Amino acid sequence: MKLYYAPHTCSLSPLIVLNELGLPHELIKVDNQTKRTADGRDFRAINPKGYVAALELDNGEVLTEGPAIIQYLADLKPEAKLAPPPGSWPRVRLQEMLNFITSEIHAGIAPLFNPELPDAARTIFRERLLRRMAVLEQALSQRNHLTGNAFTVADAYLYTILGWFKFFAIELSQWPAVAAYEKRIAARPSVQAAMQAHI
Ligand SMILES: N[C@@H](CCC(=O)N[C@@H](CS)C(=O)NCC(=O)O)C(=O)O
């Protein structure tokens, strides 16, 4: 499998999952400005959406969308329990959480990266994000991980997005349970290895 990635982006999440599962993979860096891969190809020819992450399978299929990629990977090794069995109620709860992260937290913080965002809009996005973070603070006050007391793909994803808050001087310490959780996830060997490779 090949993972197309760019530093400081959401492609860290599938890399953490690949490491957790011990699945062999090749990393291919993408320049998100020029849309060229490090090996000189047009990334849009690989993923017409033009964004990372993209996972190229050994049969040539290319899978995009972070939540789909990490669930696909988890299901390759169900015994690792990074996602509950497809069709089960706990899996539905995991999907609920993945959708919350992708649409409310990931898509919630993404506009702040735009330097042309007017201040008034920036304030609106920021305050909306802070409200959504309160939901996670409550969840993580009751359990060690997002969907229970065991690490799942949802934790790889949220950890990845939490790493962007510092770019906007949003202190995680205002959510004590989230801040403690972020430190716990950061200590995982899979995460440390991913941080070193995702550069
Ligand atoms: N819906 C996609 C969004 C992916 C995404 O936002 N990728 C960003 C990095 S986190 C990117 O590569 N942006 C570059 C671009 O849009 O040109 C997913 O969840 O995987």
Side-chain angles (χ1 to χ4, degrees):
M1 278 182 289
K2 294 177 182 158
L3 178 66
Y4 293 87
Y5 81 99
H8 308 297
T9 73
C10 49
S11 51
L12 180 68
S13 163
L15 182 55
I16 293 171
V17 174
L18 282 163
N19 288 346
E20 285 280 341
L21 296 170
L23 290 171
H25 57 273
E26 185 184 341
L27 284 177
I28 300 184
K29 192 170 179 172
V30 176
D31 183 328
N32 248 343
Q33 307 304 317
T34 63
K35 303 299 174 198
R36 306 294 299 180
T37 63
D39 51 11
R41 290 175 292 152
D42 176 6
F43 180 55
R44 288 197 189 90
I46 298 155
N47 175 14
K49 292 170 177 168
Y51 53 62
V52 295
L55 184 74
E56 187 177 332
L57 309 186
D58 294 345
N59 65 7
E61 290 261 11
V62 175
L63 183 63
T64 62
E65 302 303 322
I69 294 172
I70 57 182
Q71 289 181 84
Y72 168 76
L73 291 172
D75 290 340
L76 292 178
K77 268 202 177 179
E79 65 276 19
K81 294 188 167 39
L82 292 192
S88 66
W89 182 247
R91 180 60 167 262
V92 173
R93 286 295 190 197
L94 176 77
Q95 289 164 333
E96 178 184 37
M97 184 56 79
L98 287 172
N99 206 70
F100 181 76
I101 300 168
T102 203
S103 61
E104 304 299 329
I105 308 296
H106 182 177
I109 197 170
L112 304 183
F113 282 100
N114 185 342
E116 289 170 18
L117 190 69
D119 283 349
R122 187 169 291 277
T123 301
I124 290 169
F125 281 121
R126 197 181 164 100
E127 286 178 356
R128 184 175 187 273
L129 177 64
L130 300 194
R131 285 198 301 277
R132 299 297 187 261
M133 285 302 296
V135 175
L136 295 179
E137 175 64 9
Q138 194 182 5
L140 289 168
S141 303
Q142 292 163 2
R143 45 193 191 253
N144 283 342
H145 294 83
L146 275 176
T147 58
N149 285 323
F151 180 90
T152 70
V153 294
D155 300 298
Y157 191 19
L158 179 60
Y159 173 81
T160 295
I161 309 301
L162 291 179
W164 302 345
F165 280 54
K166 58 181 176 293
F167 299 139
F168 309 108
I170 303 176
E171 298 292 337
L172 289 185
S173 55
Q174 65 190 291
W175 305 288
V178 173
Y181 162 87
E182 194 269 346
K183 284 196 172 62
R184 275 199 307 280
I185 304 295
R188 296 181 77 86
S190 66
V191 173
Q192 294 183 4
M195 295 295 284
Q196 282 182 11
H198 197 258
I199 52 173

